[in-house]
Amino acid sequence: MGAAICKLSDKIGQHMKKGSTGCKYTCHAACRDQVSLDCHPAASPVHQDQINNNNTPLQDVEKERELRREFSREEIRLRIEKYNMLTKDLLKMTLGPTGVYTGFIKVQMDLRRPVTVRGGQKGGGGAVMGEAFYLPRGVSNTLHISSNNTVRQVIVALLNKFTVADNPAKYALYKRCQREEQVYVCKLADCEQPLFLRLVAGPDSDALSFVLREQQSGEVMWDAFSIPELRNFLRILDKEEDEQREAVIRRYEAYRQRLLEALQDLRGPS
């Protein structure tokens, strides 16, 4: 039944093209072992983010199986000791007496749309007004979490750390890994546990890193935004429009001045 949710895409078209990069398909993580393809990827790497690409090395399939199995407390202890020996930034993990362990993860903020931040200004009725602005892209934030914390809880913690008032459902956490010259990005389910993924992958950021992005739904879900948020978006658009208009006027005035000076030079002194 799990294999039924797997979806092949463009397999025939890819095989008909000479020198194709191989077929690509979107597959649920639990169904990967039940899918069998005879595709042959091209020798040249693809220099872009690839999601659930089928030409996955055998060791990566084994890694996925490892992520789905349960570890004993002794295995967790040994892995934490190995992790702490390899880490170079002193962000170590600690195993508690109940078997729950704590540690640090770094999350890169890759947000393309403005966020609404809780501000100190008060509007009508004494309600605190939010202010919309763009967060710097590429900035990383470090969170101290436990092995019980889920992806959804990590997203909420990140938004609270930046005092973002937006609905957490607008955002998703992605895992990114780099193999040779290819970068693979995959959206994490809300129930997954980022610290466990960090422990299994080790401290190397190329093996695993986390990225916070907007939900990739293909269309903006305007219903998820409140009226104050929409008004903030309109205010930002109006400001950008005014800035563009002023820039055009300045360029026109500068060009007009140069034309007048050129005409004056042609006419000579009066």
Side-chain angles (χ1 to χ4, degrees):
M1 179 166 181
I5 64 176
C6 299
K7 181 181 67 176
L8 293 176
S9 62
D10 299 332
K11 180 177 180 181
I12 298 177
Q14 292 288 347
H15 278 292
M16 291 177 63
K17 293 180 181 179
K18 186 176 180 180
S20 167
T21 58
C23 82
K24 299 178 176 65
Y25 70 95
T26 302
C27 178
H28 192 276
C31 306
R32 177 175 296 179
D33 295 341
Q34 305 179 43
V35 177
S36 176
L37 297 175
D38 58 352
C39 310
H40 302 284
S44 59
V46 180
H47 299 276
Q48 61 181 2
D49 286 0
Q50 300 187 8
I51 300 179
N52 292 337
N53 197 299
N54 69 297
N55 44 339
T56 306
L58 180 60
Q59 58 267 29
D60 297 319
V61 176
E62 294 298 328
K63 183 73 71 176
E64 288 293 335
R65 290 175 179 170
E66 187 177 32
L67 292 175
R68 292 196 295 269
R69 63 179 284 250
E70 294 288 338
F71 290 105
S72 66
R73 184 171 179 178
E74 180 63 19
E75 288 176 313
I76 292 292
R77 186 186 65 81
L78 294 175
R79 284 180 173 271
I80 290 177
E81 289 182 357
K82 181 179 179 182
Y83 182 96
N84 292 339
M85 290 176 59
L86 295 175
T87 185
K88 299 178 181 179
D89 52 12
L90 302 180
L91 300 180
K92 298 184 178 182
M93 295 191 186
T94 304
L95 179 62
T98 61
V100 177
Y101 51 97
T102 58
F104 298 85
I105 62 169
K106 291 182 179 180
V107 181
Q108 180 181 350
M109 311 292 286
D110 187 18
L111 304 180
R112 303 174 186 270
R113 296 194 291 267
V115 298
T116 302
V117 178
R118 293 184 289 271
Q121 299 180 355
K122 294 186 177 181
V128 178
M129 302 292 292
E131 183 178 358
F133 71 96
Y134 290 91
L135 283 177
R137 292 185 59 185
V139 62
S140 295
N141 203 283
T142 303
L143 287 179
H144 184 257
I145 62 175
S146 77
S147 55
N148 288 337
N149 290 133
T150 63
V151 165
R152 181 53 49 187
Q153 291 172 331
V154 167
I155 293 176
V156 172
L158 277 172
L159 298 182
N160 289 336
K161 198 167 187 179
F162 283 95
T163 66
V164 176
D166 293 339
N167 188 344
K170 299 176 186 177
Y171 304 96
L173 192 66
Y174 291 77
K175 65 177 180 179
R176 176 192 292 160
C177 57
Q178 181 174 343
R179 294 189 293 270
E180 297 178 352
E181 297 183 9
Q182 296 187 9
V183 177
Y184 297 81
V185 178
C186 180
K187 179 182 175 182
L188 294 173
D190 288 346
C191 60
E192 294 193 68
Q193 297 165 322
L195 192 61
F196 175 74
L197 300 178
R198 179 80 278 166
L199 177 63
V200 173
D204 186 5
S205 59
D206 288 339
L208 175 69
S209 60
F210 298 104
V211 182
L212 183 71
R213 293 178 176 176
E214 291 93 352
Q215 290 278 10
Q216 302 297 323
S217 59
E219 296 182 359
V220 179
M221 298 181 295
W222 296 111
D223 293 341
F225 294 91
S226 64
I227 297 299
E229 288 175 334
L230 295 175
R231 288 174 179 167
N232 282 330
F233 292 158
L234 289 176
R235 190 178 301 113
I236 290 176
L237 292 175
D238 289 341
K239 181 180 178 181
E240 292 178 349
E241 184 179 355
D242 292 339
E243 292 175 350
Q244 289 293 330
R245 185 190 305 111
E246 292 174 0
V248 171
I249 293 175
R250 286 195 300 269
R251 287 197 298 268
Y252 170 79
E253 290 294 338
Y255 185 66
R256 180 175 178 273
Q257 184 64 31
R258 288 197 296 268
L259 285 178
L260 291 176
E261 294 173 355
L263 287 174
Q264 186 67 29
D265 291 340
L266 289 175
R267 293 172 181 171
S270 57

